[in-house]
């Protein structure tokens, strides 16, 4: 009800649909959010610097870093907030300043992806140019077509600049080479260990569960081309990422004869991978932190899938992500991580701070959270 509307007003501004929202004075709602969530804890936190927390329910959709204190600063200015997938993580050994310290680090970067399939050629034979460009990364449950994201190509090029040989073995997958089959190779048990870093700059999707069986069957009858995963009772099939050639399957068409996969990488498929050597996954896409919320069991979606696959750190988004500011934040993050040799946590914090110093409003940086 009212509380949910307040959370959305304060930490989620629908820039893509109404840029005038940027001009609203939300200080009153921001202080109310603080009173609702944080004020009851204040008296218990004297002398505390680092706080580990595993959100529950609607709190999964909030970035506590961005919550505004009545004195004008944010919670991130007062505490080192460590977001956990489960309180179980507290029982595991923890290095407060982890870094990417593998002897031979590697990276797989996905961006500048072409989703259309008007060409019957294989990925090795085609890389046509698409004219359509968008200013934001809209959620795919609101799309009929998967638009090319121009800033993602530049984003992965920026990141590759930091991940240079001989220290890093970096591979970029773009255009029609960013296939689902290529991603599956990263976590194949009979291949080399999964990359140290996996960065995915693309469309993400999540569909709410259709609980009513009658409604689910009616929807299927109204559109017999609707892919089964959109109405699946399995939450890990209703969340995922788009890779090359995904548009045909997304529209309910049959995939091309030579395709081994449909280009739609579901959370269920990710959970089957072995990514135990991957220290960091960055999901530079829309609403990748969403999924079915099952009380204290957490979120059943992409974040659950990547943790099941063995990933240490996961950077993900809670709402629609503006294209250009996202590229800027990723640039700051990787500069701090690689050039400044900061830990993952500190690099993430540094990127947030730099975005604030550049006068980006919260919607442009608070969408992203770091999950341990």
């Amino acid at each position: 009800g009212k509380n949910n509307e307040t959370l959305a007003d304060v930490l989620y501004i629908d820039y893509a649909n109404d840029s005038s929202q940027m001009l609203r004075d939300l200080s009153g709602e921001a202080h109310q959010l603080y009173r609702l969530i944080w004020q009851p804890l204040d008296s218990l936190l004297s002398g505390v610097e680092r706080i580990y927390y595993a959100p529950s329910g609607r709190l999964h959709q909030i970035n506590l870093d961005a919550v505004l204190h009545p004195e004008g600063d944010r919670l991130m200015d007062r505490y080192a907030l460590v977001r956990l997938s489960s309180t179980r993580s507290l029982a595991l050994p923890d290095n407060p300043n982890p870094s990417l310290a593998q002897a031979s680090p590697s990276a797989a970067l996905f961006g500048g992806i072409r989703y259309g399939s008007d060409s019957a050629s294989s990925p090795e034979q085609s890389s046509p140019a698409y004219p359509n460009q968008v200013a934001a990364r809209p959620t795919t449950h609101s799309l009929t077509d998967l638009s090319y994201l121009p800033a993602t190509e530049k984003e992965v090029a920026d990141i590759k600049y930091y991940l240079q040989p001989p220290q890093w073995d970096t591979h970029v997958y773009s255009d029609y080479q960013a296939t689902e089959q290529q991603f599956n190779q990263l976590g194949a048990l009979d291949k080399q260990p999964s990359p140290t870093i996996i960065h995915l700059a693309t469309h993400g999707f999540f569909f709410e569960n259709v609980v009513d069986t009658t409604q689910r069957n009616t929807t299927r009858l109204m559109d017999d081309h609707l892919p089964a995963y959109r109405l699946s009772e399995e939450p890990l099939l209703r969340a995922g990422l788009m890779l090359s050639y995904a548009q045909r399957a997304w529209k309910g068409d049959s995939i091309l004869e030579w395709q081994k996969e449909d280009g739609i990488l579901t959370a269920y498929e990710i959970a089957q991978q072995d990514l135990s050597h991957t220290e960091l996954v960055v999901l530079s896409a829309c609403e990748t932190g969403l999924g079915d919320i099952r009380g204290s069991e957490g979120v059943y979606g992409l974040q659950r899938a990547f943790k099941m696959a063995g990933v240490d750190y996961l950077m993900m988004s809670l709402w629609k992500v503006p294209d250009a500011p996202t590229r800027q934040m990723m640039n700051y993050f990787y500069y701090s991580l690689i050039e400044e040799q900061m830990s993952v946590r500190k690099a993430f914090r540094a990127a947030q701070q730099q975005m604030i110093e550049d006068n980006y409003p919260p919607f442009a940086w608070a969408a992203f959270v770091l999950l341990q």
Side-chain angles (χ1 to χ4, degrees):
K2 176 60 179 175
N3 289 350
N4 290 343
E5 293 171 2
T6 300
L7 303 185
D9 282 343
V10 175
L11 290 181
Y12 169 58
I13 297 178
D14 194 350
Y15 172 71
N17 295 326
D18 185 5
S19 59
S20 65
Q21 296 271 17
M22 294 174 61
L23 305 178
R24 292 177 54 195
D25 180 7
L26 296 172
S27 57
E29 289 93 336
H31 294 157
Q32 183 177 350
L33 180 59
Y34 166 82
R35 289 192 294 269
L36 286 169
I37 296 177
W38 203 260
Q39 191 173 37
L41 302 175
D42 263 348
S43 62
L44 307 174
L45 298 176
S46 178
V48 173
E49 296 181 356
R50 175 175 286 111
I51 297 174
Y52 297 85
Y53 71 99
S56 179
R58 294 279 294 183
L59 293 177
H60 281 287
Q61 300 175 18
I62 297 175
N63 185 345
L64 290 183
D65 285 341
V67 173
L68 192 64
H69 193 276
E71 295 181 8
D73 56 347
R74 300 184 184 278
L75 292 185
M76 62 183 290
D77 301 318
R78 296 179 171 236
Y79 310 100
L81 297 167
V82 182
R83 187 180 182 116
L84 305 174
S85 58
S86 168
T87 52
R88 171 185 174 275
S89 302
L90 293 173
L92 303 176
D94 177 51
N95 176 5
N97 296 300
S99 60
L100 303 179
Q102 293 186 10
S104 301
S106 58
L109 313 179
F110 291 74
I113 299 171
R114 308 290 182 174
Y115 308 98
S117 54
D118 56 342
S119 171
S121 303
S122 67
E124 292 76 16
Q125 297 172 319
S126 62
S127 57
Y130 272 41
N132 52 322
Q133 298 184 353
V134 293
R137 301 178 191 185
T139 46
T140 50
H141 57 239
S142 64
L143 293 178
T144 54
D145 292 314
L146 301 181
S147 300
Y148 177 70
L149 300 170
T152 64
E153 181 179 4
K154 299 173 183 177
E155 182 178 312
V156 294
D158 293 341
I159 297 168
K160 184 182 179 182
Y161 173 80
Y162 296 120
L163 305 177
Q164 290 284 352
Q167 291 83 4
W168 285 85
D169 179 18
T170 302
H171 298 272
V172 175
Y173 304 100
S174 58
D175 291 320
Y176 282 99
Q177 284 72 47
T179 61
E180 185 179 356
Q181 183 181 7
Q182 185 61 64
F183 181 88
N184 291 340
Q185 297 276 342
L186 304 179
L189 294 174
D190 59 341
K191 303 293 181 182
Q192 62 185 8
S194 60
T196 313
I197 293 177
I198 299 175
H199 185 100
L200 293 140
T202 183
H203 290 289
F205 69 89
F206 165 68
F207 289 98
E208 298 283 352
N209 186 23
V210 180
V211 179
D212 188 283
T213 304
T214 302
Q215 182 183 355
R216 180 182 287 111
N217 293 336
T218 301
T219 304
R220 285 198 179 102
L221 289 173
M222 291 176 63
D223 189 350
D224 57 1
H225 292 290
L226 200 64
Y229 60 82
R230 299 199 191 190
L231 297 174
S232 174
E233 296 181 42
E234 167 55 60
L236 295 184
L237 288 176
R238 287 184 275 105
L241 299 164
M242 299 298 182
L243 297 175
S244 296
Y245 292 98
Q247 186 161 297
R248 290 187 66 89
W250 185 250
K251 294 171 65 177
D253 298 335
S254 59
I255 63 175
L256 300 174
E257 183 177 347
W258 56 266
Q259 283 184 266
K260 296 183 179 180
E261 304 285 354
D262 62 8
I264 301 174
L265 181 65
T266 66
Y268 183 86
E269 292 170 312
I270 293 168
Q272 314 306 312
Q273 303 272 4
D274 177 13
L275 301 179
S276 56
H277 287 80
T278 299
E279 298 186 30
L280 172 67
V281 167
V282 178
L283 302 181
S284 185
C286 292
E287 300 185 340
T288 49
L290 302 186
D292 277 6
I293 298 174
R294 298 187 174 181
S296 60
E297 295 182 48
V299 175
Y300 282 75
L302 285 168
Q303 61 176 282
R304 173 62 63 99
F306 276 105
K307 296 303 287 186
M308 289 173 66
V311 172
D312 293 331
Y313 284 89
L314 179 63
M315 189 192 300
M316 57 192 181
S317 63
L318 301 178
W319 55 75
K320 295 179 183 179
V321 187
D323 213 10
T326 295
R327 177 193 172 194
Q328 186 63 69
M329 183 168 176
M330 295 302 163
N331 207 310
Y332 287 143
F333 172 72
Y334 281 100
Y335 174 82
S336 299
L337 184 69
I338 306 302
E339 297 296 323
E340 298 294 327
Q341 298 185 346
M342 293 184 182
S343 68
V344 174
R345 291 182 197 165
K346 288 185 176 180
F348 181 70
R349 172 69 180 272
Q352 289 178 317
Q353 293 284 16
Q354 190 60 57
M355 293 291 284
I356 294 172
E357 291 177 16
D358 289 350
N359 295 317
Y360 282 102
F363 83 88
W365 57 267
F368 286 98
V369 293
L370 182 67
L371 180 70
Q372 179 179 330

